[in-house]
Amino acid sequence: MLHGRFDEGGRSESAIKTKADVSVSGIYQISKVLTASTRLEITLTNVVNILSSMLEMRHGAIVVLGDENEPEIIATAGITPSSQSGGGRVIPQAVIDEIVATGAPVVIQDASKSELLQAALRTSSSGGTIPDRFIAVPVKAERKILGILSVVRLRGDATSLPYDEDVSFLTMVANLVGQTIWLHRTFSMDGQQLPEEQRRGEKSPDGERNDIAGRLPAKIDWIVGESPAVKQVLATVSAVAPTNTTVLLRGESGTGKEFFAQAIHELSPRRKKSFVRLNCAALPEGVLESELFGHEKGAFTGAISQRAGRFELANGGTLLLDEIGEISPAFQAKLLRVLQEGELERVGGTRTLRVDVRLICATNKDLETAVANGEFRADLYYRINVVPIVLPPLRERPGDIARLAKVFLKRFNKENGRELAFEPSALDVVSHCRFPGNVRELENCVRRTATLAQSRTIVPFDFACKNGQCLSSLLWKGADGLNGGNAIDALARGNAMPAGPPLSARPAGAAQREVASKACDPDDPACPAMGARLTERERLIDAMEKSGWVQAKAARILGLTPRQVGYAIRRHGIEVKKF
């Protein structure tokens, strides 16, 4: 047994104040590095470098173990493995053996008095002086020890935590690293199984196939997207789904976090069990506790019978806690206990119930700022932020807008017995919208347009933005165009809403659009006449005459595409002059 191992007695030796902001920032930076699509060696090196810059440690290393506990991958900072030692001297073999045997951290408070560490580190230490504290923690995943994370630092560093908190922080980092190592060993970064796993088709003792792909669905039908941003997210989803790892889905409102959570569940071995959802922001604290943990009969007024909570309903399956950032600090403590222990008591009950739940959390809130401001518990943040997945907003996947619009229109037709279709120019219009509400707003836009369409073919003029009726455009530019009025009042008076600013991706010639009335959408010559303004037909003819009857030039004047101009010419029956 190594002297000075981590135990309860050592906790009283340090009185240094906890640096919660350092821990939060470190976990956040490391989680971003671990989800990047890079080689495992590079990823681990980046993690050690972040620890080095954050903790001001003298030496640090991550050693990934292979067969017979021999070092397979070594990532270091501030220390160079000796070529004569086979690279294993960055962490003494005795330390590795101790951690593999016990699964517990090893702490040596005064490394200068340890012959073991002096022999291991003197050859690579630049100054020849051994720093005070050595900490090594196991890197685990799927109940297996995959490697060792170690640091050597002075106990008097400005960023030094009390050593028990040092161990807790490094254990959290090691758990994140362990999941990444496991995923790299099981899957390639594009979400496909490695050849070694593909060849494993034999039966396990319980009769199930060992290869994960044989147990899981091949595609995710309910998520539409061919953009690189979506493909990257789906690759991460496919990689993390077969594990029990907690996932934190992050992104703006309306990006489809619930659909991606369902994808994780359906691609996991738990898919035959329940997928339970709960919006934490929709319920007050007292009701939320009852919803999650359940209650006994008579626990409070109205509790006329015993009721199982969402954790019990999701036992063996997956639980999605949406808007996790909105729960109160008091309830965060109650939730943390369940996540740590896997045990709960119903409200008003005394019997302890054990649950086996795969947790997925979702939020559009900046949790790092919330932790720094004391609004969200740091320990709960560490517990749920194991594998963060950031969902892209719709504006970062413009190529998917037309695909999604077609899917939503098909769904509308099926629900309402209609046979509507988009004209190509209509898809051009919708593809250039910002949609600050993301996919949810796009669906609402399609449903509104389909409901009010005058024919079986949806044309550009059917969209609210082409009639000055799009309230959502106020989110693009604010309410400046209302002159202090109310948007609803303006619509009630029959006025049109001001259009939002043009997208950066729109065609050149946007400056010419300013000639149109602010109460009229300048994107289309089919703008309704407003007082002394030209009619839509007159505006189109005027632009054609100025361009010498060249549609491409007229399109640039009007800020449209040539196809939109051609459609408007045919609709108004304008005879194109030829010279």
Side-chain angles (χ1 to χ4, degrees), residues 144 182 185-186 193-205 208-215:
K144 296 180 181 179
W182 187 89
R185 285 181 171 180
T186 308
Q193 279 192 282
L194 297 175
E196 179 183 16
E197 293 294 322
Q198 291 174 339
R199 292 193 297 266
R200 293 176 58 192
E202 69 275 10
K203 296 283 184 176
S204 61
E208 294 185 356
R209 288 178 61 84
N210 285 328
D211 57 304
I212 297 175
R215 301 196 307 263

Side-chain angles (χ1 to χ4, degrees), residues 142-162:
E142 301 297 308
R143 301 181 181 179
K144 296 180 181 179
I145 295 179
L146 305 180
I148 311 293
L149 166 63
S150 72
V151 299
V152 183
R153 61 186 306 201
L154 292 172
R155 286 182 292 179
D157 279 345
T159 59
S160 180
L161 302 173

Side-chain angles (χ1 to χ4, degrees), residues 106-148:
V106 169
V107 176
I108 298 179
Q109 285 287 1
D110 192 351
S112 63
K113 298 180 181 179
S114 170
E115 296 181 0
L116 179 65
L117 291 183
Q118 287 179 343
L121 300 176
R122 182 180 293 131
T123 57
S124 57
S125 179
S126 57
T129 302
I130 306 300
D132 285 341
R133 180 184 294 163
F134 171 85
I135 303 175
V137 297
V139 175
K140 299 179 180 178
E142 301 297 308
R143 301 181 181 179
K144 296 180 181 179
I145 295 179
L146 305 180
I148 311 293

Side-chain angles (χ1 to χ4, degrees), residues 87-107:
R89 296 183 64 174
V90 294
I91 301 178
Q93 188 62 44
V95 173
I96 294 177
D97 294 340
E98 173 71 14
I99 292 179
V100 170
T102 64
V106 169
V107 176

Side-chain angles (χ1 to χ4, degrees), residues 10 43 56 88 96 113 139 177 229 285 354 357 400 513 542:
T43 298
E56 298 181 5
I96 294 177
K113 298 180 181 179
V139 175
V177 171
E285 181 179 332
R354 291 200 60 84
V357 174
D400 293 334
R513 304 177 190 180
D542 180 65

